[in-house]
């Protein structure tokens, strides 16, 4: 049974794109290295990951393939062009993976702009998916969560001890996640309100299971996230040096 990483990076990163910076956020460099390469190297270096498939923004397809070669990401088995939404991009990569692998293989679906997961989180996802059929990376919430329909007044304040933040990777058996996509595409072809694979499964009333994540597993969305990522990378490098001394 293969363990396959599906890395989706088909977006244009509009929150970080401005008149001075027009490159999608997945290609922005931190300490001289593109964000997506930090992400890919986490899966490349993990002993349980067998293959990687990437869904990339169509305008950067050749550029992404060149990056994979330049940084020697040897486990990449295929690169596909992304679609109109993140879910369509994921679907494109899943279909390529399905054409070359077994439906019983495990797929870890991960944002190209979440470059700070730990090796332990990847392992926990694989173990949970093998045991339960799937795994959703989560961390418990420190803040109070408000639910509001009008964005002005809270309609519901759930008990904080029962709230979690879903992150990535989100992990499934290859055949099951593709079947879920096929079901949704029949009734909701544009993936309206489907923000991730967990949402997709729940829209179909399918059970999901949680795997504990790490709190540094941020998604790069705003300029503030870039500052945080720089600090996290420097902290990890300092800890590695300290550990060797």
């Amino acid at each position: 049974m293969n363990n396959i990483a599906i890395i989706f990076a088909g977006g244009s990163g509009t929150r970080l794109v401005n008149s001075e910076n027009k490159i999608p956020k997945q290609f922005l460099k931190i300490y001289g290295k593109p964000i997506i390469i930090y992400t890919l190297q986490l899966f490349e270096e993990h002993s349980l990951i067998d293959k990687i498939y990437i869904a990339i923004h169509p305008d950067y397809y050749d550029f992404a393939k060149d990056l994979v070669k330049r940084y020697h990401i040897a486990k990449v088995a295929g690169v596909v062009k992304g679609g109109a939404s993140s879910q369509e991009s994921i679907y494109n990569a899943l279909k390529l993976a399905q054409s070359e692998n077994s439906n019983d293989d495990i797929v870890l679906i991960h944002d190209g702009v979440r470059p700070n997961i730990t090796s332990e989180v990847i392992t926990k996802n694989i173990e949970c998916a093998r045991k339960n059929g799937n795994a959703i990376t989560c961390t418990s919430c420190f803040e109070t969560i408000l639910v509001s329909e009008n964005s002005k007044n809270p309609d519901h304040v759930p008990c904080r001890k029962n709230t979690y933040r879903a992150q990535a990777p989100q992990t499934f058996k290859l055949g099951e996640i593709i079947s879920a996509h096929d079901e949704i595409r029949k009734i909701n072809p544009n993936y309206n309100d489907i923000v991730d694979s967990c949402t997709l499964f729940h829209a179909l009333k399918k059970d999901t299971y949680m795997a504990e994540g790490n709190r540094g597993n941020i998604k790069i969305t705003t300029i503030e996230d870039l500052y945080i990522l720089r600090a996290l990378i420097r902290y990890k490098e300092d800890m590695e040096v300290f550990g060797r001394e």
Side-chain angles (χ1 to χ4, degrees):
M1 178 183 292
N2 285 327
N3 299 310
I4 301 164
I6 301 290
I7 309 299
F8 62 99
S12 57
T14 53
R15 294 182 185 88
L16 277 173
V17 172
N18 54 41
S19 59
E20 297 180 356
N21 168 47
K22 297 185 182 299
I23 190 169
K25 58 187 177 181
Q26 56 267 33
F27 301 119
L28 293 176
K29 290 184 177 181
I30 303 293
Y31 298 120
K33 186 190 300 184
I35 289 173
I36 191 171
I37 295 300
Y38 282 102
T39 304
L40 289 170
Q41 286 176 335
L42 293 170
F43 291 91
E44 174 74 18
E45 295 167 4
H46 197 288
S47 62
L48 296 180
I49 297 298
D50 300 295
K51 297 181 181 181
I52 302 171
Y53 292 86
I54 307 170
I56 208 73
H57 190 291
D59 293 344
Y60 291 87
Y61 177 79
D62 291 330
F63 180 59
K65 293 185 76 171
D66 288 342
L67 282 180
V68 167
K69 291 180 181 178
R70 188 186 314 167
Y71 286 92
H72 308 290
I73 311 298
K75 291 181 181 178
V76 171
V79 181
V80 299
K81 294 180 179 179
S85 67
S86 60
Q87 293 308 307
E88 188 172 343
S89 297
I90 291 168
Y91 184 72
N92 292 348
L94 287 169
K95 292 298 287 184
L96 176 58
Q98 187 183 42
S99 70
E100 301 175 348
N101 299 277
S102 166
N103 281 330
D104 289 330
D105 288 344
I106 298 295
V107 289
L108 298 88
I109 300 170
H110 192 74
D111 300 86
V113 290
R114 282 192 189 270
N116 203 47
I117 57 165
T118 65
S119 176
E120 290 79 11
V121 170
I122 294 174
T123 300
K124 286 178 182 178
N125 266 258
I126 293 170
E127 290 174 348
C128 183
R130 286 180 176 172
K131 178 181 178 180
N132 300 311
N134 60 67
I136 308 299
T137 303
C138 296
T139 56
S140 57
C141 290
F142 284 164
E143 303 86 357
T144 299
I145 302 299
L146 306 180
V147 179
S148 174
E149 294 289 339
N150 61 12
S151 300
K152 296 179 181 179
N153 312 106
D155 298 308
H156 178 51
V157 183
C159 181
R160 186 168 63 183
K161 70 178 182 179
N162 297 329
T163 59
Y164 297 81
R165 297 196 308 169
Q167 301 175 329
Q170 298 185 358
T171 305
F172 305 85
K173 290 184 177 179
L174 178 57
E176 290 182 2
I177 187 62
I178 289 179
S179 294
H181 272 272
D182 289 337
E183 286 185 59
I184 284 290
R185 290 167 71 88
K186 291 176 183 177
I187 58 177
N188 183 3
N190 295 321
Y191 293 102
N192 294 326
D193 297 323
I194 304 295
V195 298
D196 60 7
S197 301
C198 177
T199 310
L200 189 153
F201 251 50
H202 275 260
L204 297 171
K205 303 187 185 306
K206 296 177 180 290
D207 291 336
T208 51
Y209 297 84
M210 297 189 297
E212 184 180 2
N214 63 294
R215 294 193 179 277
N217 183 19
I218 62 172
K219 179 181 178 181
I220 306 305
T221 305
T222 66
I223 190 69
E224 291 82 4
D225 296 326
L226 287 176
Y227 300 147
I228 294 170
L229 177 60
R230 286 173 60 90
L232 288 169
I233 291 172
R234 178 58 59 87
Y235 174 76
K236 286 169 63 177
E237 291 176 348
D238 288 347
M239 289 299 292
E240 289 174 0
V241 171
F242 178 78
R244 289 196 297 266
E245 293 178 347

